[in-house]
Amino acid sequence: MKTIPIKGIFSLSPCNKSDIPTGIKLPQKMTMTFPGDIHSTLLRNKCIPDPYYRMNELQVQWVGKTDWQAETEFNVAPSFLRGRQFIELEEADTFIRVFINKKEVGLCQNFFRKWRFEITDYLHEGKNTLRLVFESSEGHACEKAASLSHPAPCSVYDIFSPHRNLVRKTQCNAGWDWGICLMVCGVYNPIKLIQTATGFLDYVQTTTEPEGKGKNWKVHIKAIYQSLKATKTSFSFSISAPVSSEGAKDSSKGGEKRKALLAEKTVSVELIPGENIIEETLTVKKPDIWWPAGSSPEDEKNIEKKGLPLLKDNTIYTLTTKASGALIKQNLAFRTLETVSEKDEYGRSLYFKVNGKAVFAKGSNWIPCDAIPERQTKDKYEALLSALVEANQNCIRVWGGGLYEKDLFYDLCDKKGILIWHDCMFACSTYPADKDFLDNVRLEIRHQVRRLSHHPSIALWCGNNENLGAITWYKESRENRDLYLVDYDRLNEGTVGDEVRKNDPSRAWWSSSPCSGDDDFADNWHSDGRGDMHYWSVWHEKKPFEAYYDIKPRFVSEFGYQSLPSLSETKTFADEKKDFNITSPVFEFHQRSPGGNSIIFENFARYFRVPSSFKHMLYLSQVQQALAIKTAVDYWRSLKPLCMGAVIWQLNDLWPVSSWSSIEYSGKWKLLHYAAKEFFAPIGLSLYKKDGEVKCFLLNDTALSIKPIIKLSLIDFNGKVLREEEISDQNYPGESSTCVYSKQIEDLGFSPDSFFIYAEMTWGKIRSETTLFCIQPKKCELESSKVKISVRKNKTGDFTITLKTDKPAFYLALDADKLPGIFSRNMLTLLPGKTESLTFRLTEKRKLTAQALQKKLSVTTLRDIY
């Protein structure tokens, strides 16, 4: 077997020049390479404006409605013509006709499949041509809609591409309530020419299990080989480890570090034409065990001395499989994982159990990291997933309106210990159930499950996002419910679920998100006792934050609250003179949730005094977002083990926008992400008021028994301590949530508008503090504070920032403008007589002095905004 990537330069042009809008000038010669996308090529050639700036999105919609062609030449040596030849495309988006030497050899029609076409009869020695014709996905969607026996309605937004649910591409390309509408096309993996006489090693799937009660582990291997003929060949399997891992021997020679060989086996196999499955088992002695982030017993032993967060990477082993000149190297790790969903006295549980330990899923939802494929860079994936674990999160949900991600994404989750709740790529729609559509989907799911199932980070396969509930959203499906339920069942259970169960029986199949479990069709937007829940009453139904206390969920896989972007983010898409107003056309254009800015502003008035400037509105929106999510998580974590999951909507943005994200498109952390680092800490405090009662819980997700010092202080707004209680003589068991303080507000002895509660916990290097107002902050007379700030550069290159104040300063937010960096803490309560120190770390290499950073820094507190 021989593989040659096609790296040549392609000429790009529209198939029909008449499709180009008047006023758009394309260069006579426009070139691109693959991997690549059409929008990026047009941007490089200055044919379209930046679609993220102001309202330029409207000026680029024609690109996705246009058919494009890309052509290149490549040379073929005589030796390559032996045997049979194929062309292979993966991440081919979406309808692409493939021509070799002017002859059509195949049609790609599903972005989520791998396409392989035989070209033996079309290649010749010397110069050959490859032409790719990208047909408009929107055009195909409209054609499909016209052919259906009955409509298949889907969610639509102000700017959208119609019938996106009828084509198998990233659903949010067509626009979402946080996303730009860009119907991108291209090929995002290298295009390959393959020469083989035998066939293809397509997939290698693995599962691991402990061998008896000892420390050795079995690795069950299933190689899937597509053979072109009946023949005999050998398969070799070997497992290696980084030489730094325990038990691994250094096999380096001549100073070159290589992986240490732990196990190997070679077998001879008689192949038949078509698909062959080769199964073998290897044993690895005493491997390191894979754990979700922050859950490793070894890390927990050191937590008191080292502090948080726990950021140790997992040991990732390598399984190498060889057959007939083909080779696959992929991740391997050792762990047991169960998805537990059992009926109990409260309804039905849902949680993950890893290596016998029940894990509270603390995480966020993931959407594509950029709307433009060429901007989905390695650095972006690394930064976002590192930020997730740095904020003490251990779980991510790959949402069903996005895509099956790049290999890099899963490799990073494996390494960092991020459990993946993995939706299949269907969202917020009804879908067709005709034979062509179902056959296409069946091959998609088969490919993706086989491709990804070896990753230890994947915890669960879920059929879709909200499709079951969507049957009640549309007039057509409400009026003919049974017809649409049959369509749903044929697709979701008869096709998607069937393929998942067949191809990865080691993992749980969860039919939809949200749902109550198999054969249970409860309303899991409001029903809280069974399975996973999407709780949106606080946002979409405009209920107060306290509505989070109305439910006792088992696992919340979506809940969220929006904020406006930071000032530095706003400057990337808005004109300061024209657009810096939350009701300006451009600012509202970058808000896709209907009435979103109004909801944010209404809650300003509910809880706070109205900000006096645009800048302060941006700040308060981020404070408000953080408080909303903290309200929910603090309460739900206190319910452990009844509740075992809180997965925030959403981690990231794919363009600059007002949204639910905790990290802005630029990579800048919002105040919510800093707050999440505190409220998701494995050891910390939860402080809240419910039904007129103040409660404080000690949260301990570790297996350790701890004896912390806990102080609760009632402080007036001048900083005077009115009352203080200390709890220091109690041990708190591991895996627990323990109420340490409970008192009615009316029994505290002071008017609720005259004080706040400050709670602090210390245990070794672990420190947790939290603040509670006993009434809406707008009803309190806060004092203006004078915050002093000093900056010192450390030998490590990061900066120590010291803060002092003369009066209590609430929700103190540090901002470094456009400087790429992360504070160790933010959104603080700063008390008089108490010095707070934190660090600032640059995330890009650049020269920066302490003086320059101090000039860039701004400090905003709640009292500053009015």
Side-chain angles (χ1 to χ4, degrees), residues 15 38 64 66-70 89 91-99 104 106-113 115 117 131-145 162-171 183-188 436-437 440:
C15 293
I38 308 301
T66 301
D67 295 344
W68 298 88
Q69 57 187 352
L89 299 91
E91 293 189 57
D93 193 3
T94 292
F95 293 90
I96 308 172
R97 293 191 186 274
V98 182
F99 294 82
E104 184 173 345
L107 170 65
C108 307
Q109 50 189 323
N110 184 330
F111 174 50
F112 305 126
R113 285 172 60 183
W115 296 93
F117 307 116
R131 183 163 65 99
L132 305 176
V133 176
F134 297 86
E135 298 177 348
S136 166
S137 292
E138 183 171 310
H140 275 272
C142 291
E143 288 178 15
K144 178 75 174 179
H163 309 297
R164 50 93 181 161
N165 55 322
L166 307 186
V167 294
R168 296 307 298 142
K169 76 186 268 79
T170 300
Q171 298 288 271
M183 292 293 280
V184 293
C185 60
V187 182
Y188 316 138
D436 287 347
F437 190 85
N440 194 3

Side-chain angles (χ1 to χ4, degrees), residues 816-835:
D817 195 32
K818 294 181 181 179
L819 282 177
I822 297 168
F823 298 98
S824 59
R825 297 168 59 218
N826 213 338
M827 206 174 102
L828 315 173
T829 296
L830 192 60
L831 300 178
K834 195 171 185 179
T835 299

